[in-house]
Amino acid sequence: LTQFQEEVIGIEIKGTTGQPGLNIVTYYNPPGNRVNPDIFCMSLYGNGNGTIFTGDLNCKNLAWGSNSTDTLGSDLLDVLDDQNWIVLNDGSKTRIDPRSGKEEVLDLIIGNAAAISMKPDFFVGDGLSGAGCGLHLDVQD
């Protein structure tokens, strides 16, 4: 039996004078795992840099459009609130269970205030299953 571990991959786009940097982080949290709160520590992402997280966190919370709230989702929302992250999901469902057809929100887009000040525009596109799997990020002037 294979055990999956959480997976975090990030890139940093260096800023210049008058133009802040941007960090983009993808995070996969396997089903049933509690999200590692240390990953959301603001001090990891540089002073003034915008940071955007996107990924499959497998945590349900009504706050981002899930059908229910589970313990993992409550824990994640507490961490995000404590560290001043902003959930950017609009409530659109991001997964369709292939067996039951039930739609759910398990994929999240989260940003900090510096990223939001860049006025990003997000679009979660249709995947093969009809649920979102693509992300379009248009940072507008």
Side-chain angles (χ1 to χ4, degrees):
L1 187 67
T2 302
Q3 288 276 340
F4 290 102
Q5 299 297 318
E6 64 189 17
E7 183 176 313
V8 181
I9 300 170
I11 64 168
E12 178 184 5
I13 301 168
K14 296 277 188 185
T16 61
T17 304
Q19 182 70 28
L22 178 64
N23 304 307
I24 301 174
V25 182
T26 64
Y27 185 7
Y28 172 71
N29 185 57
N33 280 8
R34 184 173 175 265
V35 169
N36 182 346
D38 295 337
I39 291 168
F40 292 99
C41 182
M42 281 288 193
S43 64
L44 293 175
Y45 303 104
N47 295 334
N49 279 355
T51 301
I52 296 172
F53 273 88
T54 182
D56 183 354
L57 300 184
N58 284 300
C59 297
K60 299 176 186 177
N61 198 303
L62 294 170
W64 48 76
S66 297
N67 298 328
S68 61
T69 297
D70 61 15
T71 302
L72 301 174
S74 291
D75 290 347
L76 176 59
L77 187 58
D78 289 344
V79 168
L80 297 177
D81 286 346
D82 288 347
Q83 293 293 318
N84 296 315
W85 291 99
I86 303 161
V87 176
L88 301 172
N89 288 57
D90 65 2
S92 298
K93 303 305 182 195
T94 63
R95 181 179 190 279
I96 298 173
D97 185 297
R99 293 187 185 124
S100 69
K102 183 179 177 184
E103 296 182 352
E104 187 57 89
V105 177
L106 300 176
D107 307 293
L108 299 178
I109 301 173
I110 302 164
N112 65 4
I116 304 309
S117 71
M118 294 175 172
K119 300 179 183 156
D121 178 31
F122 298 96
F123 169 73
V124 179
D126 290 336
L128 296 177
S129 66
C133 71
L135 169 68
H136 166 75
L137 169 64
D138 181 17
V139 180
Q140 303 170 356
D141 292 331

